Amino acid sequence: MGMPDNVSPLWIENQYQLWKENPEALSDEWRAFFTGFDLGLAPRGESGGAPCTVEELMKHSGVQSLIYRYRDIGHLLACTDPLSPCKLEHPHLALSAFELDTSDLDTSFHTRRFTKSPVTLREVVQVMRSTYCGSTGVEFMHLQSPEERQWLIDQMEPTCNRGEFEGDRRLTILKKLKEAALFERVLQKKFPGQTRFSLEGGDVLIPMLDAAIKKAASLGVTDVVLGMPHRGRLNVLCNIFGMPYENMFAEFADNSEFGVVGEGDVKYHKGYSADFTVAGDRSIHLTMASNPSHLEAIDPVVEGKARARQDRLGSDGETRVLPLLIHGDAAFSGQGVVAETLNLSQLTGYRTGGTLHVVLNNQIGFTTLPADARSTCYATDAAKMVNAPVFHVYGDDPEAVIHATELALAFRDRYHRDVVVEVICYRRFGHNEGDEPYFTQPLMYQQIKLRPQLHELYQSELIAEGEDPESLKGIEAEVAEELRLASERESVPRESAFLARWSGMKPAIPRESVKTSVGDDVIQALAEKISVTPQGFNPHPKVAALLQKRREAVQKGGPLDWGNAETLAYATLLNQGVSVRISGQDVRRGTFSHRHAALFDQVTGDPFYPLSTAATGEAAFCAFDSMLAEFSVLGFEYGYSLESPDSLVVWEAQYGDFVNGAEVIIDQFITSGEAKWERSSGLVLMLPHGYEGQGAEHSSARIERFLALSAAGNLQVVYPSTPAQLFHVLRRQIVQSFRKPLILFTPKSLLRHPSCVSKVEDLTGGQFREVIAEPPQQGNVRQVLICTGKIYYDLADRIARDQIQGTALVRIEQLYPLGVDQLRNELQRYPNDVPFSWVQEEPHNMGAWRFMRPVLTDILGHVPRYVGRPEAAAPASGSHRLDRVEQERIVSEALGI
């Protein structure tokens, strides 16, 4: 029973008398309380003594409440802001708030779950203030697990939340602070005015990361995958990742041309990797992911990269691979992908065993102050939704920062949960080196101007504690000399991105012809294997019938529908030792109930994955229904694909229309990552597309957008029209010797269309066809209709129904890279004087028309006729009836009816 804060001793006394006279008049809780109270009135054992009074009991209760409240809100009194004077009191933490006063300070009280008992109130207050109101404020009482809360209490209160820093360790901290400061000073001197997004004001990040890596290694971490925005990135690259200073200087001088691949990117977006030996003989690999200016977009990408590495390592993967994300305060509170990524942290398909989040809070977002940037008390409040403990630390106290970081890592190691360390610091100069902060924050920057740099403050502290000033000056001289020598050295050639698991791959324009067919005996055996459920398993009767129908279709040589061919594609890859991962909303069943990758026992609810039985070697089949988000989940799968060139990684949108919720990932990573950063991805995007009268948000995957983003062989954009085409293009994604993202526009109504089927021989003897030509079955050609995707079936069905003669149909299955020579060969088979038309169901300003028009004009020598919907602001009509009328018009107009 929690004791209300406003309960007075007189009220308690009255309730006690009422309980004595009529116990039933009180609640069960109060009856239990007074029963215990009466026991307490008995003599105090062998030592004797007078019984406790109600007032004394209330003081004992007050002390316990004081302890709880310091743990709960002590952070509000913590001294964590270098730019603000420390608060000395808080009304909710005053002794009077607990009906205590200074006369009680030397009284001993019995306490529960405290460092000792009995203990004087003076000692309690001293421990509480030192632990929770010093350079570190801690939010942890929101954690739902009592064990986790108590573990943190046991780590913090006995030491008053301070670590032990002596001798060489303090000198190491000072050296890292010198490296951080002098690096920025040299860049400003050598390249004045060039944008570098200086770390100055947040210099503590360098010794913090140095300590974090060493601590992580001591806990068994062998891989750290780091994501961070541009502020301080160059400093981290050189002083943590060991990028040679001379290479950074060459980047600034813009004479590092030997290392530029593709279009390149600005230096504060680029990634890096390095190997180190730390903590004696422990090896650790560091990876910094390349990041665009969309500050937090890297978060799910890092999580995906980390999860892929963990999956590869097996059962101890979560312990060995640490995701580490560095955020700015404005971005952490302002960008929704942060909350999305946090929400992924404990989901089965996406968890990574806990992420260390470092929020470098420089108290400003470009020119925007916190009061205008967030509605929460702290920039980190979003993290509390996943029960992450949060450490708020004074940024000019490097020892406090490092202690909090090491404690956070120990928590992550023990409980496999996210944890946040917010370093409250400042930005010494403007947003970039050409920015004037006095325009908008004159008072803040007047304070900052007068504040000494952290390496100077820490050096003064060490001298005051007895360190030799001359030896400390020697540390600075050593760092300065290394920077001077580096400026005289030539830059070091960087390694290719195609190493390790990528060593068998090559950057290429996707024009490779590969064999994707599979032997009939393999198809038959796999179809049999994946149709069998375990003994005692109780599938849904309709799903059981579907499995039987699929098996029989394979045995008879066809017809194979879309779901059957897709499943066989996965099965054949798994049988070859290739892992398959498919993720997205409702992917296990499929939005349109066509896949059924997971079967559920109708009695126990337990899942069974038939495709898992097809896997050989270390291959695994994983299908994960994702949370209701596109941005973070697609970013996660992109990151996963970067680490898994030998696996098929698929993300499927619930409807293709919803992919625009992840446009940042598409624009900044999927379509341009290889050109900017030399990072290839074989990620497959499955985007259901087709006009079936379901309105503007359930019709279009925006073919036009992906084609507008296609250039220099960066993508494969495919709109397959048959199950066999899907089978081959999925297998091609693994068989070919390079990796490019595959954008697949997939069907909805065609999933069960009687004509949208294939034969087993199409899987065993064919390959993916970029262009499919279908001449008239009889008679002369009177017109040629060129199209892509579902509209083909509308045209073919009408031709068959009305027995229309003389119409040739040409399907373009791969829109990019377009097989121009194949298309030219097919079209030149027909007479020049017959009309050629491009037919699509999308509006004139959407679909593939504007992409195809110049190509077709060049091949034909004239602009082909356009048949489709007129220009529109929305992709489709909201009226099912009008949509069907328009679809009918398109087909009739195309066929000249």
Side-chain angles (χ1 to χ4, degrees), residues 70-135:
Y70 265 96
R71 291 168 177 170
D72 187 29
I73 65 168
H75 56 86
L76 297 176
L77 200 53
C79 186
T80 57
D81 182 0
L83 302 182
S84 299
C86 296
K87 297 177 183 177
L88 300 178
E89 297 294 340
H90 191 287
H92 295 315
L93 295 172
L95 292 179
S96 59
F98 309 96
E99 298 190 16
L100 300 166
D101 56 45
T102 55
S103 67
D104 299 310
L105 287 174
D106 293 315
T107 302
S108 292
F109 294 91
H110 290 276
T111 59
R112 297 185 66 206
R113 298 189 178 92
F114 191 65
T115 53
K116 68 179 202 177
S117 180
V119 60
T120 65
L121 177 58
R122 188 183 302 279
E123 291 176 276
V124 169
V125 173
Q126 188 275 324
V127 170
M128 291 293 102
R129 284 204 164 228
S130 298
T131 302
Y132 300 112
C133 306
S135 292

Side-chain angles (χ1 to χ4, degrees), residues 4 342 433 498 700 709 750-751 834:
L342 288 167
E433 283 59 42
F498 292 88
S700 176
L709 292 167
L750 293 185
L751 294 171
V834 302

